[in-house]
Amino acid sequence: MNTMTRTDDMQTSPIRNAMTIDVEDYFQVSAFDSHIPRESWPSQPCRVERNIDRILALLDEGGIKATFFTLGWIAERYPAMVRRIVDSDHELASHGYAHRRASDQNEDEFMDDIGRSKALLEDIGGRQVLGYRAPSFSIGTRNLWALDALRQAGYRYSSSIYPVRHDHYGMPDAPRFAFYPNGRDGLLELPITTVRVMQRNLPAGGGGYFRFFPYQVSRWFLRHVNRHDRQSGIFYFHPWELDPGQPRQKNIGMKTRFRHYVNLDRMEGRLKALTRDFRWDRMDRIFLEKA
């Protein structure tokens, strides 16, 4: 893409931000756990492959490389899709095998999950998998042992701690930017981006907040992190967020319905604006090179 067509922020800022995608399908989100049993997943109409292809095209149009935190369950069923991700020079990372929250697993279960998904992704993608993101950012104060387990399993970084207050996750007292929870010889933790406002961390790195707030708010947040904090931002989204035609779930609560479906039809346009307004790259190229 010709750099002359990009905005002033992109032309003047040397800071690269990390674009990340959590590769899961609409029926695998944690909010639907009590509505869509795991044993029914194989019979659900999958839409992840077509949505990933849309994302690959969008990233290619913007000349952007990204990190794809991929479920082993998805990779097992769509190996050609995984290879398309890798062949496009994106980073392949792990999102666990079956989208089980780290906080819902004991140590043996967690070691099995992260080892299984890592081996599977490496076998399909033909590349070493260095990064992990826990489903629903489910590493926090009560299960920090998971970080040592990840290091033991061969991962070099995690993006699993979200320093915000949320009803489903969050570790608000955690550092806002890259840190080593267990010393420089341990795992590097890379939190999703937040903005500090009135002694509180506000989510600034994507997800439902990106769809809910006007795009100008998200742009201001990320610009503030780049210019004021002088830090790289980390942004994330899901393939199903670009898919307003996905099957609608019945008998779910009003809050869950709103969070999942709000502004799905606007997501792709906002992502295109984001790719024009900032510099982007893979997690490993930004943070492991610095380390």
Side-chain angles (χ1 to χ4, degrees):
M1 181 177 181
N2 189 327
T3 56
M4 295 303 292
T5 66
R6 300 188 177 188
T7 64
D8 290 342
D9 281 310
M10 178 168 284
Q11 293 172 359
T12 60
S13 174
I15 294 179
R16 294 173 297 159
N17 301 289
M19 178 68 73
T20 71
I21 299 94
D22 290 358
V23 183
E24 62 198 58
D25 220 329
Y26 65 94
F27 53 84
Q28 297 173 311
V29 300
S30 295
F32 290 166
D33 277 351
S34 60
H35 304 281
I36 305 177
R38 290 177 186 274
E39 55 268 25
S40 75
W41 283 5
S43 63
Q44 298 291 334
C46 288
R47 299 171 68 90
V48 66
E49 188 170 27
R50 73 185 76 178
N51 292 326
I52 285 294
D53 285 343
R54 290 174 65 189
I55 292 168
L56 290 174
L58 186 153
L59 296 175
D60 184 63
E61 180 182 348
I64 291 167
K65 303 305 176 186
T67 295
F68 288 73
F69 290 97
T70 305
L71 286 181
W73 192 94
I74 293 290
E76 211 167 39
R77 286 157 178 78
Y78 299 99
M81 181 192 77
V82 172
R83 285 190 284 270
R84 288 198 296 277
I85 291 171
V86 172
D87 290 345
S88 297
D89 196 31
H90 299 294
E91 180 189 11
L92 185 64
S94 172
H95 199 33
Y97 179 78
H99 211 259
R100 288 191 64 198
R101 298 185 191 194
S103 53
D104 290 341
Q105 301 179 67
N106 62 37
E107 294 188 35
D108 288 340
E109 291 170 333
F110 185 71
M111 281 297 296
D112 179 71
D113 181 84
I114 61 177
R116 180 184 182 187
S117 62
K118 188 175 192 294
L120 179 63
L121 292 169
E122 289 178 341
D123 182 58
I124 294 172
R127 298 287 190 278
Q128 187 177 11
V129 169
L130 303 176
Y132 170 83
R133 176 173 289 159
S136 300
F137 305 106
S138 50
I139 294 179
T141 306
R142 297 181 179 180
N143 63 337
L144 289 175
W145 53 261
L147 300 176
D148 284 331
L150 287 164
R151 184 63 171 165
Q152 183 180 341
Y155 293 91
R156 289 189 57 191
Y157 75 86
S158 161
S159 183
S160 305
I161 295 175
Y162 205 162
V164 296
R165 295 189 185 278
H166 190 278
D167 54 349
H168 291 162
Y169 54 76
M171 188 176 169
D173 295 330
R176 291 175 52 223
F177 301 110
F179 68 106
Y180 290 91
N182 299 318
R184 298 281 299 188
D185 293 333
L187 199 75
L188 177 63
E189 177 61 35
L190 303 172
I192 296 294
T193 295
T194 58
V195 168
R196 188 74 173 170
V197 177
M198 298 181 66
Q199 305 303 309
R200 183 176 180 179
N201 296 340
L202 298 183
Y209 301 100
F210 184 69
R211 289 183 282 115
F212 174 70
F213 292 121
Y215 173 71
Q216 291 78 6
V217 174
S218 296
R219 183 176 62 188
W220 186 91
F221 280 170
L222 188 54
R223 182 184 295 165
H224 184 78
V225 168
N226 288 169
R227 293 181 175 180
H228 176 76
D229 297 309
R230 303 300 301 168
Q231 295 284 342
S232 297
I234 299 175
F235 182 88
Y236 82 102
F237 67 99
H238 307 87
W240 55 261
E241 290 186 277
L242 281 77
D243 187 9
Q246 65 188 264
R248 297 275 169 150
Q249 304 305 309
K250 301 178 181 179
N251 302 319
I252 59 176
M254 186 178 299
K255 181 189 290 187
T256 297
R257 183 177 301 278
F258 177 79
R259 284 177 171 175
H260 189 88
Y261 296 117
V262 64
N263 289 332
L264 293 180
D265 58 336
R266 299 182 180 182
M267 184 66 175
E268 187 166 358
R270 292 183 179 184
L271 282 175
K272 288 182 178 180
L274 201 68
T275 64
R276 293 191 300 266
D277 287 347
F278 298 93
R279 295 180 182 273
W280 300 97
D281 207 343
R282 300 161 33 149
M283 293 279 275
D284 58 346
R285 290 179 180 168
I286 296 175
F287 296 104
L288 295 187
E289 287 178 4
K290 289 180 182 178

